[in-house]
Structures are given as structure tokens and as C-alpha cells.
Amino acid sequence: MVFKRFVQVGRAVLITYGPNTGKIAVIVDVVDHARVLIDGPTTGVNRHVLNFKRLKLTDIVVKIPRSVGTGPLKKALEKQDLVGLWNKTAWAKKLAVRKVRANLSDYDRFKLMLAKKQHRVIVGKQAAKLRAAFKAKRSASS
């Protein structure tokens, strides 16, 4: 497997620590081997220097020049629809489901449990029918 997510200007990142946790930003400049300058004008992330330990690289790359200003960056992000691209990824969908599940009330968790039980019963009955049909077909052929 070849590594494809390199630190580069224009790479979209997910912030994993601090007040902007869970937000998307873009690498504007590389400060040194451990830190980058990020900005996210469309997602509410102010321009600041962040350590690599506090972010995750995504597969999304935006075409921008190095050290671009906030205004042109915002136009480029809106043109290439960074937020839309991010929301289509499986990673973003998984995070959204996790957030919804964390905010469930006790009654919502109870309803979810009942729905899972009903689903299990329906699937079990269908599987039993298929098993019985397979056994009948198998015994008839031998």
C-alpha cells in the first residue's frame, strides 16, 4: 500500500484537538517539520499554527498558492465546494452518525433497541426459511 496523504499546501485537514475539534481546515503554509499554518474561512476556523499531532490529513486537496490570503482562499474553497466534498466522504458520514448517537436520549436508545430486536426477528425468520428450503432441496436431490 502506497502512502498518498502528504503534507502539502491545499491539503484539507480534520482538526482533532482543541476548540475547533471536528472542523475542516486547509493547510496554507508549512512552518516546520512539526507544524503548519491552517485556515478555514468557510468552516469557522481562524488562521493559526497547529501541530501535526492535533490534525488528521484527508484525501481532499484544494488548488491554492502558498500563503494565500483568507479572501482568495474562501473563494477557492467555495468554488471547489470543500464542505460538500467532505460531507460526501465515508469518514464524515461516520463522524455524523457518531455525533447523532452521542446525543440520543434514554428513550431514543430504548426505541433503537426495539427496532434492532424487530429487525433481528425478521431477518432470523427469513434465514430460517432459506435454511429449510436448502435442506429440503438437498434431501430431495440425494
Side-chain angles (χ1 to χ4, degrees), residues 26-31 35-39 47-50:
V26 176
I27 296 176
V28 178
D29 201 358
V30 179
V31 177
R35 298 176 300 156
V36 289
L37 179 66
I38 62 166
D39 196 0
R47 183 177 288 233
H48 64 284
V49 175
L50 195 65

Side-chain angles (χ1 to χ4, degrees), residues 6-27:
F6 297 107
V7 175
Q8 66 190 84
V9 173
R11 173 77 61 183
V13 295
L14 175 68
I15 301 172
T16 59
Y17 184 82
N20 294 317
T21 301
K23 293 184 180 178
I24 295 295
V26 176
I27 296 176

Side-chain angles (χ1 to χ4, degrees), residues 6-135:
F6 297 107
V7 175
Q8 66 190 84
V9 173
R11 173 77 61 183
V13 295
L14 175 68
I15 301 172
T16 59
Y17 184 82
N20 294 317
T21 301
K23 293 184 180 178
I24 295 295
V26 176
I27 296 176
V28 178
D29 201 358
V30 179
V31 177
D32 58 24
H33 70 282
R35 298 176 300 156
V36 289
L37 179 66
I38 62 166
D39 196 0
T42 58
T43 57
V45 178
N46 293 328
R47 183 177 288 233
H48 64 284
V49 175
L50 195 65
N51 196 323
F52 288 132
K53 293 178 185 177
R54 297 184 177 202
L55 54 86
K56 301 278 186 204
L57 300 174
T58 67
D59 288 332
I60 303 167
V61 180
V62 180
K63 299 275 187 192
I64 56 169
R66 186 169 171 242
S67 299
V68 67
T70 301
L73 176 62
K74 185 173 183 177
K75 288 179 184 175
L77 294 181
E78 289 170 350
K79 181 181 174 191
Q80 296 183 20
D81 192 26
L82 173 71
V83 177
L85 287 173
W86 168 249
N87 288 333
K88 290 179 187 174
T89 63
W91 190 357
K93 291 175 185 175
K94 184 171 75 172
L95 290 177
V97 167
R98 216 182 267 174
K99 191 174 186 178
V100 168
R101 286 257 173 115
N103 292 327
L104 289 179
S105 67
D106 188 38
Y107 184 60
D108 291 333
R109 284 190 295 275
F110 174 72
K111 290 191 296 187
L112 180 65
M113 179 197 67
L114 291 181
K116 283 183 175 181
K117 274 185 175 181
Q118 290 173 347
H119 181 265
R120 225 178 7 249
V121 168
I122 292 168
V123 169
K125 285 181 182 177
Q126 290 298 322
K129 285 181 186 177
L130 289 172
R131 273 195 303 271
F134 180 73
K135 283 184 180 180

